[in-house]
Amino acid sequence: MTDTLTVLEPATEAVLAQIARADAADVDRAVARAKAAFPAWRAVTPADRAALLRRLSDTVLAHREELARLEARNAGKPIGDARGEMGMVAQTIGYYAGAPERLLGVTIPVAGGQAWTVREPLGVVGLIVPWNFPLTIAAWKLGPALAAGNTVVLKPAELTPLTAVRFAELCLEAGLPEGVVNVVVGPGATCGQRLVEHPDVAKIAFTGSTEVGRSIAAGAAQTIKRVTLELGGKSPNIVFADADLAAAAAAAPSAVFGNAGQDCCARSRILVQASAIDAFMAELEPAVTAIRVGDPLDEATEMGPLISAGHRKTVASFLEDGAPVALRGDAPDGPGYWFAPTVLCPVDPGARAAREEIFGPIATVIPFADEAEAVALANDTIYGLSGSIWSGDGGRALRVARALDAGVLSINSNTSVRVSTPFGGFKQSGYGRELGPHATDAYTEVKSIFYATQT
Ligand code: NAD
């Protein structure tokens, strides 16, 4: 270890913890531990591996409140949200406890013998995660990786490492062998990069920005590493004039201001049919101004601060140059990286706020004329992660859902994430899918075996 990492609380700017900051040599040691633990972990019988994962899920649930408070303080998210996220961590591990006994192969008819497939674990897997949903996103990777028999090195974001560090302790408490789950807290440019380059790491599962995702894909190519990438988004929330406008407007704020807008699925482009835009904005106003922004540990809080001073500066830059601010909520004064929920309307589809991922509580409202224009505008982005369609016409909603280039869509709803359904992006939102029944595919290799029956 070379030096100390100071972890701040975004709601107060106070020091929350000081922990050792790892370097590339620490990554090498963690990979060596994971490599040493791999043969025994892959040899654990499927039923025993399932039982250990169930116990880990129960252990997380037993520590849910402790983990939720840590996450709420470190990431600045409302305590109610943090409790929900820690519930999802336990649910995700529990869901993949069902996987070790369901890693099925197929038999294939061939001449001269018998052929079949098996799924083998990859070995040591590097998990690199962002700061917006620190332990939740780690769990989406940990569950299927461990279930398939891999050992892991998890690198949390430097801003939010505390729940990952605690989770590693809980893994041991639950009975997972030493070396199966390793956590390294350090910068992306050194520790993340070393994981990507390390010859003993078989795969990188990455969630983060599209920019870093590009460098990870390029770096991983040197060792032909497997890579899955969950990257940025600029998701559309399409509201047709025939929709239940009150319902669409009531749901729109949490879909873009949830987690203070620091959500890869944020519906930050609200596309509204021009004939309904006045009615929609009238419904939207009370929903935006009512959002309670404040102390993450206050049970009534709906939105916390942004993650850092630097990030707030970036978000604020989207309000420069005469941005058309139509609605603005409240935010506390004083210490903390606060930013009031803001709606821009009408926004030109070519404007920077309509094209770049803001990753903060700024929504853009963009009018459209008809279905064809709605689809064209929604798809006019490098991203393709998620989106919503609000319409009273079921046929139209299904047509638009099929026409959108995005991985996760909802109709008359803004939900994106369920443990049991696949999650991931089209285009520059990444490749590969997490969650759902097929996630273990991305943590295994298919092996084909032939047994000669003729001499
Ligand atoms: P980031 O890309 O800056 O960092 C993500 C992780 O990568 C961190 O752990 C960081 O330390 C590490 N990293 C940085 N440089 C690296 C390098 N050169 N080599 C290896 N690792 C490196 O992202 P962020 O700012 O932490 O998170 C915000 C971004 O994450 C947004 O773009 C958001 O859309 C995206 N995100 C995507 C999803 C999804 O599932 N698609 C979910 C959450 C967040």
Side-chain angles (χ1 to χ4, degrees):
M1 302 282 183
T2 50
D3 68 277
T4 302
L5 172 70
T6 300
V7 181
L8 298 181
E9 196 168 358
T12 61
E13 304 181 34
V15 174
L16 183 56
Q18 293 204 301
I19 58 176
R21 177 190 273 137
D23 59 17
D26 294 306
V27 172
D28 288 353
R29 282 189 280 276
V31 172
R33 283 196 300 276
K35 187 179 177 186
F38 175 60
W41 178 243
R42 77 180 301 187
V44 172
T45 66
D48 287 347
R49 207 154 60 226
L52 280 168
L53 290 177
R54 276 195 294 274
R55 208 183 306 158
L56 177 57
S57 170
D58 290 345
T59 305
V60 169
L61 264 191
H63 291 81
R64 181 180 187 171
E65 189 62 22
E66 173 203 342
L67 289 166
R69 292 184 77 80
L70 201 54
E71 199 84 303
R73 293 186 69 187
N74 192 179
K77 59 179 72 220
I79 184 67
D81 292 3
R83 281 190 198 112
E85 288 176 30
M86 295 309 112
M88 189 188 202
V89 170
Q91 199 193 345
T92 305
I93 306 283
Y95 179 81
Y96 288 104
E101 295 172 290
R102 292 177 179 79
L103 289 173
L104 306 179
V106 293
T107 56
I108 300 170
V110 293
Q114 195 76 63
W116 70 97
T117 63
V118 289
R119 288 203 163 265
E120 303 285 14
L122 303 173
V124 178
V125 179
L127 315 177
I128 302 178
V129 299
W131 44 258
N132 57 342
F133 296 101
L135 194 56
T136 313
I137 287 176
W140 298 358
K141 304 174 192 318
L142 285 156
L146 296 174
N150 302 282
T151 55
V152 304
V153 177
L154 166 63
K155 196 207 84 61
E158 263 193 298
L159 293 169
T160 55
L162 300 183
T163 47
V165 170
R166 184 70 184 116
F167 179 84
E169 294 167 359
L170 295 179
C171 288
L172 295 177
E173 195 178 314
L176 269 71
E178 293 266 359
V180 170
V181 174
N182 306 274
V183 172
V184 177
V185 178
T190 51
C191 293
Q193 176 95 11
R194 180 64 187 146
L195 267 180
V196 171
E197 290 167 354
H198 202 298
D200 290 337
V201 173
K203 173 194 165 119
I204 296 289
F206 173 77
T207 298
S209 60
T210 294
E211 189 187 352
V212 173
R214 272 186 210 110
S215 85
I216 287 192
Q222 297 309 309
T223 46
I224 318 293
K225 264 186 194 54
R226 280 77 187 124
V227 177
T228 42
L229 299 173
E230 299 284 357
L231 308 176
K234 190 74 189 171
S235 297
N237 180 1
I238 307 174
V239 182
F240 285 96
D242 63 11
D244 178 342
L245 291 182
S254 60
V256 55
F257 302 135
N259 212 42
Q262 302 164 124
D263 183 337
C264 53
C265 291
R267 268 67 166 167
S268 54
R269 290 185 299 149
I270 307 177
L271 307 180
V272 184
Q273 195 154 17
S275 57
I277 206 154
D278 291 342
F280 179 82
M281 290 301 286
E283 298 274 3
L284 189 64
E285 180 171 12
V288 170
T289 50
I291 296 171
R292 279 185 284 214
V293 182
D295 177 5
L297 295 181
D298 182 337
E299 299 285 343
T301 291
E302 294 168 309
M303 192 182 117
L306 292 169
I307 191 69
S308 67
H311 187 52
R312 181 170 61 179
K313 202 163 168 230
T314 307
V315 171
S317 74
F318 286 89
L319 296 189
E320 289 164 5
D321 302 329
V325 175
L327 303 174
R328 199 112 214 250
D330 286 327
D333 297 322
Y337 310 122
W338 305 104
F339 199 93
T342 305
V343 178
L344 307 182
C345 178
V347 176
D348 185 287
R352 184 172 157 247
R355 304 205 71 76
E356 294 181 18
E357 184 181 43
I358 300 174
F359 224 56
I362 300 179
T364 58
V365 177
I366 303 168
F368 66 86
D370 55 18
E371 185 178 320
E373 194 187 11
V375 170
L377 285 172
N379 283 339
D380 182 21
T381 167
I382 61 166
Y383 298 112
L385 188 53
S386 57
S388 305
I389 303 134
W390 292 80
S391 172
D393 177 342
R396 161 185 277 166
L398 288 175
R399 262 192 322 272
V400 174
R402 292 301 303 269
L404 294 185
D405 301 327
V408 192
L409 293 168
S410 45
I411 295 170
N412 296 336
S413 153
N414 293 321
T415 56
S416 289
V417 176
R418 287 178 185 77
V419 172
S420 57
T421 57
F423 177 82
F426 282 28
K427 302 195 286 187
Q428 293 189 38
S429 287
Y431 42 71
R433 291 292 177 273
E434 299 197 302
L435 301 174
H438 308 297
T440 45
D441 291 358
Y443 293 92
T444 53
E445 293 283 11
V446 174
K447 183 183 281 173
S448 167
I449 303 175
F450 173 74
Y451 193 118
T453 52
Q454 289 172 353
T455 50

